[in-house]
Amino acid sequence: MARQALTLALLAALGCGDDSPAECPPQPNPGCASDAECCASPPCANRCVRSDALVLSLECAPPIGAGEPGAPCTTGDECAHGLCLVTGRCAAPCGDHADCATDERCRRAWVDGDAARRATLCVPRSSLPPVTTDVLGPGARLTLGSAPLGAHHVLLPRCGVLPELLTLDGASRLYDVDALGTDAPPTSPVFAPDPGPITVALPSGLDGVDPAAEHVATFDQPVTMDRLVFAPGAGSRIDIDLFLVGVADLEDATFDPLRAMLTSAGASLGEVRVHPIGGPEAERLAILESERGAIPELPELFALGAGLPPSVPVFAVRQIDLFLGLAGAIPAALPVPGAPSAGVVIGVDTAGDMLGIVLAHEVGHALGLFHLVEADGTQREPLADTPVCPIDADADGDGLLEPDECDGAGATNPLFWSIERAGTTLTPDQASIVRRSPIVL
Ligand SMILES: [Zn+2]
């Protein structure tokens, strides 16, 4: 998250609602739910297709276009079911997960970018093939199985549970929601929004965490989680999918700080694919209000990403209450686009001239980078070569480590908690974390 000079920045909690990450009972489509209601066994003359483009009701009728689910599209008329995801691929409606292929899930997703509306559709479960998938739980303590060095474990809570991650233990305590203070700073491979998908990157730093050790996540209630494990990235290119929600296209110069930051990491900014989103259902998401410190509409916004190829989804809105920008988590569940923590949101009007550095900062979070130090001196970040600004540097004694109090001690790093003096150069250890993200191609 990026704030200029506010208090300790915490990620906003993410609500569940009907856009819960993985398994909430999908909201029924008006009309038919899926092809199964229209035809007992293929080949079928009728499918469950769009009947009214305005309210997005469905009916059993012959296919509309030639595009089968997964085919590229720009409008619904090109698709057999009349349904084109805002991310540009045809999709089929569903009533539950049984209607979808094993590498898909049934969830609320957005179609028709210029007049975006939501339907319950089969969408790809992930943008990359996971190396492992399994189900953990039910239980309040879940043991993460083994995974390749540097892998990202994405834990997707099933419907109806709003779990809070309390602790994560490996060979040592890695995350402790009660000890995020200066007395017992946890070294964290995860910063979990509450509730939502959780991405655990092991090891979190370059050493110090044994990835082969048994890792146990403790939640505040019994949960069942789908675990998808993704191998670390092996390339150097990072693509962006930019969603314009109630805002005009961004100037290319907005991407300069991100370009420079990735270059400093030995990576490069690849394709920037732009998705203009219009219509009243989506435009109400252009101004994000907070409720008790949380932004309850983020899951709906992040659901726009369903069906994307491997990338960092960036949602540009006009304003975000309290924040200039937010990452869904550290690291974000980037290989599972459409999930509530998969991507970053930036407030174009709120960030103003700082938009470019806000974007770079938030993408850094999404790729797995923590603040060097929080405003109050808390340190969650496990890297050895990042400068540390000690709480003793708080010369005016206001409890905040201001950028001018951390001169030469991290204030110009793009992941300093305040972006007032942020530059674009990452340290070699930060660079290694960036390049390890599964979506680096
Ligand atoms: Zn931040």
Side-chain angles (χ1 to χ4, degrees):
M1 66 248 65
R3 298 175 173 194
Q4 281 178 286
L6 296 175
T7 55
L8 169 65
L10 290 173
L11 277 165
L14 301 177
C16 181
D18 69 354
D19 290 299
S20 180
E23 300 286 335
C24 277
Q27 193 169 316
N29 292 310
C32 51
S34 70
D35 286 349
E37 286 186 14
C38 303
C39 168
S41 58
C44 299
N46 284 344
R47 312 253 195 116
C48 178
V49 306
R50 188 194 69 203
S51 62
D52 183 325
L54 206 60
V55 297
L56 216 57
S57 58
L58 305 176
E59 65 179 359
C60 293
I64 292 175
E68 293 297 331
C73 56
T74 52
T75 72
D77 290 344
E78 299 165 30
C79 300
H81 297 87
L83 299 164
C84 178
L85 291 170
V86 297
T87 50
R89 56 187 289 152
C90 296
C94 50
D96 60 38
H97 302 294
D99 293 325
C100 302
T102 52
D103 59 354
E104 295 178 324
R105 60 203 168 98
C106 182
R107 57 158 301 153
R108 298 288 278 173
W110 293 84
V111 298
D112 293 344
D114 53 353
R117 282 138 318 143
R118 291 187 302 162
T120 301
L121 304 171
C122 295
V123 299
R125 185 178 53 177
S126 59
S127 61
L128 291 161
V131 294
T132 302
T133 61
D134 50 18
V135 180
L136 306 181
R141 283 169 56 81
L142 303 183
T143 301
L144 273 56
S146 61
L149 189 70
H152 285 209
H153 305 241
V154 178
L155 306 177
L156 298 162
R158 294 217 167 169
C159 184
V161 289
L162 303 175
E164 181 177 10
L165 178 65
L166 300 179
T167 59
L168 179 71
D169 296 278
S172 62
R173 176 63 48 97
L174 297 173
Y175 176 85
D176 185 339
V177 75
D178 290 324
L180 295 172
T182 48
D183 292 335
T187 300
S188 178
V190 53
F191 190 68
D194 171 29
I198 294 160
T199 303
V200 180
L202 294 171
S204 55
L206 302 178
D207 50 36
V209 175
D210 178 2
E214 186 173 87
H215 288 82
V216 178
T218 307
F219 296 91
D220 63 342
Q221 59 178 306
V223 291
T224 299
M225 293 277 197
D226 285 298
R227 184 182 75 135
L228 282 67
V229 179
F230 297 94
S236 63
R237 191 185 98 227
I238 294 176
D239 290 344
I240 297 282
D241 278 280
L242 173 65
F243 294 83
L244 303 170
V245 183
V247 299
D249 200 0
L250 306 184
E251 291 174 22
D252 187 61
T254 305
F255 293 90
D256 286 348
L258 176 59
R259 267 191 201 99
M261 186 180 86
L262 295 179
T263 299
S264 82
S268 63
L269 179 62
E271 232 183 305
V272 177
R273 295 177 287 263
V274 180
H275 309 275
I277 304 297
E281 248 200 87
E283 282 182 4
R284 71 189 162 77
L285 300 173
I287 296 176
L288 298 172
E289 308 278 358
S290 68
E291 274 178 32
R292 296 187 297 279
I295 312 280
E297 285 160 331
L298 282 187
E300 276 181 78
L301 183 72
F302 281 39
L304 286 163
L308 286 177
S311 72
V312 180
V314 174
F315 304 94
V317 302
R318 283 204 290 275
Q319 290 174 30
I320 315 167
D321 220 7
L322 304 177
F323 299 95
L324 307 176
L326 281 166
I330 307 173
L334 297 178
V336 190
S341 76
V344 307
V345 53
I346 52 174
V348 172
D349 292 353
T350 333
D353 293 346
M354 308 293 280
L355 188 63
I357 192 67
V358 169
L359 173 65
H361 177 101
E362 299 306 336
V363 171
H365 281 319
L367 294 170
L369 299 179
F370 289 76
H371 291 161
L372 277 60
V373 65
E374 298 297 345
D376 68 349
T378 305
Q379 193 188 1
R380 300 193 185 97
E381 189 239 59
L383 304 176
D385 73 350
T386 46
V388 174
C389 187
I391 194 66
D392 307 352
D394 177 23
D396 62 7
D398 68 351
L400 292 180
L401 290 168
E402 304 287 356
D404 60 1
E405 293 168 336
C406 298
D407 196 21
T412 57
N413 188 284
L415 270 296
F416 193 71
W417 73 270
S418 161
I419 55 166
E420 274 175 8
R421 293 176 56 187
T424 57
T425 304
L426 296 174
T427 69
D429 285 359
Q430 287 177 313
S432 298
I433 297 295
V434 164
R435 292 200 308 270
R436 191 185 282 175
S437 175
I439 55 89
V440 178
L441 302 173

